[in-house]
Amino acid sequence: MTSFRYSQLFLVFVFCGLTYITYSINQTNFAHSREQELTKYTASIATQSNWQGNGKALYQHLTTSFNFQFFQYIDTNDSDNSFTHGKLLAESKSIIQNIYQIDIPLTRTLANGRLQVKLAIDKELTAVSNRFEYQLLLIWGTFLLISVFNLLLAALHAKKLRYSCKIIDDLPNFTFHAIQKSKLKGEFTPLAKVLESCQSNLKARVDEFNQAHEKLIRTAFQDPITGFGTRAKFTEKLNEICLPNSQQLGVLAMVRATELGAINQLHGREAGDDYLTRIANHIRKSLVKSPNAYFYRISTADFALILPDISLKDGTTIIEQLKVAFDEYQLNLGTDSVAYIGLCPYLQGCDPVSLMTLADTAVSIAQTLGPNSFHVQQKLTGDELFGDSRWKIAIDDILKRKAIKFYAQPIRPCRTNIESYRELLSRFYNDQGKFLPTTTVIAMAERHGMSEELDKLVILKTLSMLINMPSLTGLFGINISSSSANQESFVAWLKNILVRQRHLAARLVFEVSESGMQTNLSATYHFINEVHSVGARVSIERFGLGFTSFKFFKDVRPDFIKLDGSYTQGIISDTHNQFFVKMIIDIARKLMIKVIATSVENQQEKLAMEQLLLDGLQGYYIAKPTPLITVSKSENLK
């Protein structure tokens, strides 16, 4: 409407100008006609300059040719000859007549007197005023028509603008209206096209954002490998079923894929992902008749299954079918087991922490019962570490029977003048000869303070193997826990054993995790010095994860450092990773420390690491771990 006001103001100026021009033209014409009348009167009165008669007679003589508004003849000799007619001041007329009013009194001296007249202009004034009124009516009538037309046009434009504004106003709400082009015709046609294009493009962008959002949701709440829900979704569902007013009951099962670490080490990460995917598929197939079941991957190797509205008996039947599927998969996989299952019921108002403790206890017990076993734990016995207690018994049995076997994975040197070694991987088995999950055995041994005894068993078995199998040559790496390496009593025991077997000590490389060794640098320094004093060597594995790595190996001076596998995974595309690895190599080489890359799983990673001039490579692509057959022969090494 602002443009309408401006256009109206412009029209007012234009029509005022037209009015003034019309008035000026009429005024000029009217004045010209009066001038002609005055000229005629002047010529006529000049002929009467010697008038000596009666004034009335003079008036009558002149009125034959002129009309007078006022006539006055004053005879200077005889007042009887004087004559006056009309009024000097005209009567009130219309406004328009007043603006054209011309008062021109004419005074003339005659022979015997003085004549003063004022010519009448009523006829001409009426004519010009009528004409001007008609012109004003025409001008301002036209103005009114144009104004009304502009007002209607402005109202129509305002309506179209309101319609367009409504469409635009709804865009932030992602409400897309069909554009009614009949409402946006004429000069608004480009606007209709723009709005239509804008809606189309915005809808396309919204669809893209929705797809990206769904992808992010899947990434955040759906495991990319198995397609199961993530731990966050599991926690949300667990809290839901444990609400006091939830009115829910069912079964919670935990599946632990204990072979993941071994498969990653033996066959690579891709094989590990395939292993998890196969487990997830077997879970889905076993629960195909339970459409309301929920599946989650809650950690690297742990799955949680929530089976609502079923009894523990029915849940056990389903888990038995899952175990059968795992047993069949184990035959194809060629491992000692596939996964273990713990089962427990849940009721309305149960505590989430207690429920998870119950499930974890069940799966921990299942791991001690043989390959792919499952265990049902209906309630807590008051001892929350019941499953751990079973593990303590199992580890005691391992130590008593010395139930350990070795796999060996070689490290390939990158240069001929570099001495390398084979890493021994420990596998533990129960009294039935079935392998137990190695990572769980080690974790439980540390939890129960039995890691030193377990490490001693590994060292003694290694020494016995080297004594009994003289055909085994070269260096061998032994993994020991950092907690043992930081214990003075263990270090003293180790030195005593190695002093008695110096010829074997020179063939041993003790591998310890960097993270554990950094917690106590003085103890680490003491451990490495003692090991070096008997001719053995030290390798720091998973190197590069800590913030004090450089200061660490500068101070303690190990013989080898094994880079964490994350450096290998990103070495091809990550230039920062390449720079950091190169920096580690340069510093280590100045300190006479050999650098080994781990988790090398393809040709590209191998070539990238070789170009960085590492000292050795280890991984599935380099060589797979193979079992070592030990000879049973008693040796008094204690």
Side-chain angles (χ1 to χ4, degrees):
M1 297 299 288
T2 302
S3 59
F4 170 73
R5 289 195 293 269
Y6 287 145
S7 64
Q8 283 297 104
L9 183 61
F10 175 73
L11 287 175
V12 168
F13 285 136
V14 170
F15 279 86
C16 285
L18 288 175
T19 301
Y20 177 74
I21 292 171
T22 303
Y23 164 75
S24 298
I25 293 173
N26 288 333
Q27 179 74 357
T28 301
N29 293 336
F30 181 58
H32 181 67
S33 65
R34 293 306 302 147
E35 287 295 333
Q36 289 179 344
E37 187 73 13
L38 286 174
T39 302
K40 181 180 177 182
Y41 169 75
T42 301
S44 177
I45 200 63
T47 61
Q48 305 295 330
S49 60
N50 295 322
W51 179 269
Q52 297 180 356
N54 189 283
K56 184 175 182 181
L58 179 60
Y59 171 75
Q60 291 173 350
H61 172 73
L62 292 174
T63 53
T64 59
S65 301
F66 305 100
N67 294 321
F68 297 99
Q69 176 185 326
F70 174 74
F71 183 91
Q72 184 180 52
Y73 176 73
I74 300 174
D75 195 310
T76 56
N77 298 322
D78 186 0
S79 60
D80 292 336
N81 290 331
S82 298
F83 178 75
T84 300
H85 176 78
K87 297 179 180 179
L88 184 61
L89 297 177
E91 295 181 356
S92 177
K93 301 178 179 62
S94 67
I95 295 175
I96 294 178
Q97 288 180 349
N98 285 334
I99 65 175
Y100 282 109
Q101 182 68 44
I102 300 178
D103 292 331
I104 307 178
L106 298 174
T107 303
R108 186 70 176 244
T109 303
L110 301 180
N112 292 327
R114 182 173 58 87
L115 176 64
Q116 182 178 6
V117 300
K118 188 175 184 180
L119 296 175
I121 57 173
D122 293 343
K123 183 178 179 180
E124 294 84 351
L125 186 61
T126 300
V128 72
S129 63
N130 289 341
R131 184 168 63 253
F132 187 54
E133 285 181 1
Y134 173 76
Q135 291 170 339
L136 287 180
L137 181 63
L138 183 63
I139 291 172
W140 291 101
T142 304
F143 170 80
L144 182 61
L145 288 176
I146 295 175
S147 298
V148 171
F149 176 77
N150 281 344
L151 180 62
L152 294 176
L153 188 61
L156 181 61
H157 285 183
K159 182 178 179 181
K160 293 180 179 181
L161 286 175
R162 285 194 298 271
Y163 175 71
S164 303
C165 291
K166 182 179 183 305
I167 294 175
I168 296 172
D169 189 53
D170 287 337
L171 290 180
N173 301 323
F174 305 117
T175 302
F176 304 107
H177 302 284
I179 303 297
Q180 299 181 25
K181 295 183 179 179
S182 59
K183 293 185 177 182
L184 296 175
K185 295 188 297 185
E187 66 272 22
F188 282 85
T189 301
L191 178 60
K193 293 180 179 179
V194 170
L195 287 176
E196 194 172 39
S197 175
C198 181
Q199 282 195 148
S200 177
N201 293 335
L202 182 60
K203 189 175 185 304
R205 293 299 301 275
V206 169
D207 291 341
E208 290 178 6
F209 286 138
N210 287 337
Q211 292 174 3
H213 178 69
E214 290 176 3
K215 186 176 180 180
L216 288 175
I217 290 296
R218 287 195 299 270
T219 302
F221 298 111
Q222 182 175 321
D223 178 60
I225 296 175
T226 63
F228 286 2
T230 60
R231 185 177 185 86
K233 295 298 290 182
F234 170 70
T235 302
E236 180 182 323
K237 185 63 180 178
L238 185 65
N239 291 330
E240 177 187 330
I241 66 176
C242 291
L243 291 174
N245 57 351
S246 64
Q247 301 294 328
Q248 296 191 49
L249 58 88
V251 173
L252 171 65
M254 183 178 291
V255 179
R256 183 160 294 160
T258 53
E259 299 302 309
L260 179 60
I263 291 175
N264 281 340
Q265 191 172 40
L266 292 172
H267 305 291
R269 294 185 302 274
E270 292 184 2
D273 292 346
D274 180 67
Y275 162 69
L276 293 175
T277 303
R278 293 285 295 274
I279 289 179
N281 291 337
H282 284 305
I283 291 174
R284 288 190 184 94
K285 290 178 182 178
S286 299
L287 298 176
V288 68
K289 295 183 179 179
S290 302
N292 296 327
Y294 298 90
F295 314 117
Y296 306 94
R297 185 184 177 193
I298 59 176
S299 68
T300 303
D302 286 347
F303 301 87
L305 317 177
I306 295 179
L307 313 177
D309 304 322
I310 67 170
S311 64
L312 185 60
K313 181 180 178 181
D314 293 336
T316 303
T317 302
I318 293 173
I319 297 304
E320 287 176 347
Q321 297 173 357
L322 181 57
K323 180 188 183 307
V324 171
F326 285 166
D327 290 339
E328 293 176 354
Y329 178 37
Q330 180 186 348
L331 297 176
N332 296 328
L333 189 62
T335 58
D336 299 315
S337 65
V338 170
Y340 297 87
I341 311 167
L343 201 64
C344 64
Y346 65 82
L347 302 173
Q348 172 186 349
C350 58
D351 177 56
V353 176
S354 299
L355 186 60
M356 285 301 296
T357 301
L358 199 64
D360 187 66
T361 298
V363 76
S364 296
I365 294 173
Q367 287 179 259
T368 65
L369 302 178
N372 309 322
S373 296
F374 71 91
H375 178 75
V376 178
Q377 189 75 21
Q378 298 191 38
K379 61 181 180 179
L380 291 173
T381 62
D383 180 8
E384 295 186 0
L385 296 178
F386 180 75
D388 290 351
S389 299
R390 290 288 294 267
W391 269 110
K392 185 176 185 300
I393 295 172
I395 295 171
D396 279 334
D397 179 65
I398 291 172
L399 295 172
K400 180 180 179 181
R401 294 184 298 103
K402 301 179 181 179
I404 181 173
K405 293 182 180 180
F406 291 117
Y407 281 68
Q409 185 178 28
I411 298 172
R412 177 183 297 175
C414 294
R415 297 190 300 278
T416 56
N417 61 339
I418 298 297
E419 186 178 18
S420 188
Y421 64 92
R422 283 180 284 178
E423 180 183 357
L424 294 179
L425 307 174
S426 303
R427 301 295 302 278
F428 307 97
Y429 55 92
N430 61 15
D431 55 0
Q432 298 177 357
K434 298 176 179 178
F435 281 113
L436 299 175
T438 303
T439 54
T440 306
V441 171
I442 294 173
M444 291 301 174
E446 290 182 353
R447 179 178 295 185
H448 290 287
M450 305 172 72
S451 58
E452 284 190 44
E453 296 302 318
L454 203 61
D455 288 335
K456 289 179 180 180
L457 173 62
V458 172
I459 294 170
L460 292 174
K461 286 288 287 186
T462 301
L463 292 173
S464 295
M465 179 186 68
L466 295 178
I467 292 173
N468 296 329
M469 301 179 67
S471 59
L472 290 177
T473 59
L475 305 182
F476 287 89
I478 304 175
N479 287 281
I480 62 173
S481 67
S482 56
S483 61
S484 298
N486 289 331
Q487 296 296 324
E488 290 188 9
S489 58
F490 175 82
V491 175
W493 172 88
L494 177 62
K495 183 177 181 180
N496 182 50
I497 288 292
L498 296 180
V499 166
R500 293 159 52 188
Q501 303 289 338
R502 280 187 177 272
H503 63 292
L504 297 179
R507 298 175 58 191
L508 299 181
V509 180
F510 293 95
E511 294 195 0
V512 191
S513 173
E514 177 201 21
S515 59
M517 299 300 282
Q518 285 188 0
T519 59
N520 191 338
L521 284 178
S522 61
T524 300
Y525 186 77
H526 174 69
F527 167 75
I528 293 178
N529 278 344
E530 293 296 280
V531 170
H532 284 169
S533 68
V534 294
R537 307 174 208 194
V538 176
S539 177
I540 303 300
E541 63 175 353
R542 302 200 68 186
F543 183 85
L545 293 181
F547 291 106
T548 59
S549 297
F550 291 108
K551 184 179 185 304
F552 170 72
F553 76 80
K554 176 180 177 296
D555 292 341
V556 300
R557 297 292 181 91
D559 301 280
F560 301 89
I561 55 174
K562 299 177 71 174
L563 297 178
D564 184 73
S566 59
Y567 289 101
T568 303
Q569 296 172 23
I571 198 64
I572 300 173
S573 58
D574 192 342
T575 55
H576 297 290
N577 209 15
Q578 296 172 9
F579 173 78
F580 194 74
V581 172
K582 181 62 176 174
M583 185 168 55
I584 292 176
I585 295 171
D586 291 342
I587 297 175
R589 189 149 295 161
K590 293 179 182 179
L591 298 173
M592 304 299 291
I593 299 172
K594 298 179 178 62
V595 183
I596 299 170
T598 62
S599 301
V600 180
E601 297 184 2
N602 54 58
Q603 177 73 8
Q604 291 77 15
E605 292 176 349
K606 173 181 176 294
L607 292 176
M609 285 300 187
E610 287 177 340
Q611 289 174 358
L612 291 172
L613 303 179
L614 274 87
D615 297 299
L617 304 175
Q618 183 183 26
Y620 173 71
Y621 184 77
I622 304 302
K624 303 176 184 178
T626 56
L628 284 177
I629 301 175
T630 60
V631 178
S632 178
K633 181 178 179 181
S634 62
E635 287 285 342
N636 185 16
L637 297 172
K638 294 186 180 180

